[in-house]
Each structure stands twice: as C-alpha cells, then as structure tokens.
Amino acid sequence: MLQITLDEPGRFSARHADEPAGLPGHALVAVKKIGVCGTDLHAFAGRQPFFSYPRVLGHELGVEVLAVPPGETRVKVGDHCAVEPYLNCGACGVCLRKRWNCCETLQVLGVHCDGGMSERIGVRVDKLFPSATLTLDQLALVETLGIGRHAVDRAGLTPGIDVLVVGAGPIGLAVVQFALAAEAEVTVLELNSVRRKFVERFGAGTIPEFNGKLSSVVFDCTGNKASMEKSLEYVAFGGTLVFVGLVNDRVAIDDPLFHRREMTLLATRNSACVFPDIMRMIVEGQIDTTPWITHRMNLSDVPGRFPSLSKDPNLVKCMIDV
C-alpha cells in the first residue's frame, strides 16, 4: 500500500508499506480523507515542537472501517468515522479526570507516532466516532474543529462577552465558529485581507490591525512568538488571554502589564470529550463546514505539491483524497 513519509524538514518520500498488523482493541480502517493542519506545515518547515523524523503525518482523518476485533459493537465494518488522534494512557491523573488531551504520556497520531498518510492504518476502537450522516470531508474536519471548541470551553465564554481572535487560519476559524455558537461578540484581528473576507461570512467582525479596544477574552491562534507576546496588550483589565497556537520558542510576558490588569493566562491543547457534540452541531447546522476546504490533492501528489501550500495566501484547509 502507498504511504507518504516526511523524512526530514522539506522532504517527503512515497513508498510501499506493509499492511497494518492487527493489534488488540484496534480496527483496520481505510483512510479516505486527510486534512492538512498547521502542525503538518510546521513539521515540514522544521518548526514543530514534540516532533521527530522520519514521520508519517496525518491526524485529521475521515476513515472507513474495514475490520473490527471479535465481539466489537461500538463500530462495525463499513462505518464512516472521525478519528480522535490522541492516544492517551487512561491511567495517569489527568486521564482519570477525563483530560486525556494532556495525558502525561500522550502520543498524537502523525506527531509523536505515525499517522494517516497511508492507504490503511490500525486505530484504537475507542478513538473512532462513526456517523451515518456526515461526509468523509466533514469527519476529517472534526479534529480541527475540536481544537477551537476546547479553547472556547477553556475560556468559559458567556453570551454577549467581547472576544478578540488573533489570526484567521484554520484554528482561528474554529475558535470563531464556536465563540459565535456561544453567542459571544467576536472580532478577528487578521492582516490577510483574503482571510478577513473569508471569516466575515460567518458573522464575525474583522480588523486589519489593533484598534485600541481591549477585549475581555483574547485568543491568540497564530503560533507566532511576536504575536503571542503582543496579544497581552489587547486584553482588558480582569480579562483572559488564551494561547491556542503553539510555537517552538520561549514567549516573554510583560509582567507589569500582566499584573496591572490582573489577567488570566490559559494554555489549550488538543481537545477532550467533544467529538460527539461537534458532530451533532454540524448535523444540526450550528457549525458550517461548507467553506472550509479551499484546496485538494491526492495522496500520491503530496511529495510534489505539499511544499507550495504554505506559500498560498488563499489556503484555509487542504484536503488530501486517498
């Protein structure tokens, strides 16, 4: 079967791989759709934390079940599923508190261990979420949406609260959609005019630069050191700053500003316990996935076409068809 491997920063290779070995508690699935994430782009550029090479990328997956373990009833052959790629231990303190998104020994498919850029893979059955309604494209978007949903949950948004989202890439877009679903008043700070126009269709206001208005909750979704440091200046007195984007660097805090405004600073990582609810919200029309996919390629095209993605100002989400 075809498998694409990121051998080192800037270089993919295609190879024939053996069929996945059957493991206890794992289903065999055919990978149908793979969403390209900022994590993948950063790994290609050599800027992704917690990463080693070579690695098979791919953690935003829409799959079809080909085989299940004996006696398995949670999923069945033929099911179309979203894949939660967070392989937690289930036994550490945070796992026992159902916060397996930050398990002490977490392995994320396509980051810490090989992911889904392959025709078939084995997946833990408990990480499969079937749907008879959502398309495979939509199923592959659930993981990205989960990042935004978890960030909004962490912030504890209430109706009418004023929110600033810094950065309108895919993660920023996910935050915008769930902040709007929480009935917050949302403004997006984004330099790119194409992305500003894109995010406006969801009902958020946009600004190309900071206008001096402080916000009760600020989400920095850029993964950019300078932006993350600057975002403290946008937070209102008694407000909250949420770092959603991740950078492989140290981020400096203006401590007098931080203390004077008595801010709350939150980190947010992955998501936990949200896939079924996100899938329900898509089905019910509360979350619109229609505009998300702006680019497509086949799995075999990845070595040749992937390098150009980060240079395209119109990119929101590229979907790889397998």
Side-chain angles (χ1 to χ4, degrees):
M1 65 177 184
L2 177 64
Q3 185 175 83
I4 305 297
T5 303
L6 181 60
D7 297 310
E8 62 185 12
R11 184 168 67 88
F12 282 103
S13 65
R15 69 184 185 94
H16 177 80
D18 294 335
E19 292 289 325
L23 296 173
H26 285 62
L28 176 66
V29 304
V31 178
K32 297 294 187 180
K33 305 287 182 177
I34 309 165
V36 176
C37 177
T39 297
D40 303 319
L41 296 170
H42 291 156
F44 181 78
R47 300 194 301 266
Q48 178 61 29
F50 320 125
F51 199 86
S52 62
Y53 304 84
R55 179 66 63 224
V56 177
L57 302 183
H59 63 275
E60 300 179 4
L61 305 175
V63 305
E64 180 180 345
V65 177
L66 299 178
V68 298
E72 176 57 48
T73 58
R74 190 173 186 275
V75 295
K76 63 183 185 299
V77 173
D79 279 351
H80 289 177
C81 301
V83 176
E84 187 180 69
Y86 317 128
L87 308 181
N88 61 302
C89 74
C92 68
V94 286
C95 280
L96 295 176
R97 297 196 301 273
K98 294 186 177 181
R99 292 184 60 185
W100 49 77
N101 59 302
C102 50
C103 167
E104 294 176 12
T105 57
L106 186 70
Q107 297 280 295
V108 178
L109 291 175
V111 180
H112 309 95
C113 57
D114 285 344
M117 280 196 186
S118 186
E119 292 181 303
R120 290 171 292 282
I121 61 172
V123 178
R124 273 172 41 181
V125 171
D126 64 311
K127 299 300 180 181
L128 293 171
F129 292 83
S131 173
T133 306
L134 299 184
T135 67
L136 286 160
D137 280 341
Q138 289 174 319
L139 291 168
L141 290 171
V142 172
E143 193 277 340
T144 292
L145 288 164
I147 305 299
R149 167 61 185 270
H150 182 64
V152 167
D153 287 349
R154 288 275 285 155
L157 298 188
T158 54
I161 195 168
D162 55 308
V163 167
L164 178 68
V165 178
V166 183
I171 297 304
L173 177 58
V175 170
V176 167
Q177 287 197 278
F178 286 101
L180 289 171
E183 301 181 15
E185 298 294 328
V186 181
T187 302
V188 179
L189 171 59
E190 170 58 57
L191 301 177
N192 185 311
S193 61
V194 174
R195 286 189 170 182
R196 287 200 305 275
K197 181 177 288 188
F198 184 88
V199 84
E200 284 168 0
R201 73 182 68 186
F202 293 100
T206 62
I207 52 176
E209 58 186 19
F210 181 53
N211 59 8
K213 181 181 180 297
L214 302 180
S215 298
S216 298
V217 181
V218 175
F219 296 91
D220 192 293
C221 304
T222 65
N224 177 278
K225 171 183 167 66
S227 174
M228 293 165 75
E229 293 174 348
K230 189 74 173 174
S231 285
L232 269 80
E233 299 177 16
Y234 312 151
V235 182
F237 286 75
T240 298
L241 173 60
V242 185
F243 282 156
V244 190
L246 175 67
V247 65
N248 191 15
D249 205 343
R250 291 178 178 270
V251 176
I253 301 296
D254 182 339
D255 190 56
L257 177 66
F258 182 66
H259 273 79
R260 179 168 176 257
R261 296 188 187 173
E262 199 179 58
M263 298 179 202
T264 298
L265 177 62
L266 295 172
T268 179
R269 185 185 185 196
N270 305 322
S271 66
C273 306
V274 296
F275 271 42
D277 199 42
I278 290 170
M279 294 163 72
R280 175 191 60 78
M281 293 176 76
I282 297 173
V283 170
E284 294 178 357
Q286 298 179 55
I287 298 296
D288 181 13
T289 62
T290 306
W292 271 77
I293 300 170
T294 55
H295 295 62
R296 287 188 183 275
M297 67 176 71
N298 293 324
L299 183 62
S300 58
D301 296 332
V302 170
R305 292 186 57 193
F306 193 98
S308 66
L309 286 178
S310 62
K311 303 171 186 175
D312 191 332
N314 297 313
L315 176 68
V316 175
K317 177 64 64 177
C318 177
M319 190 65 69
I320 298 171
D321 300 311
V322 183

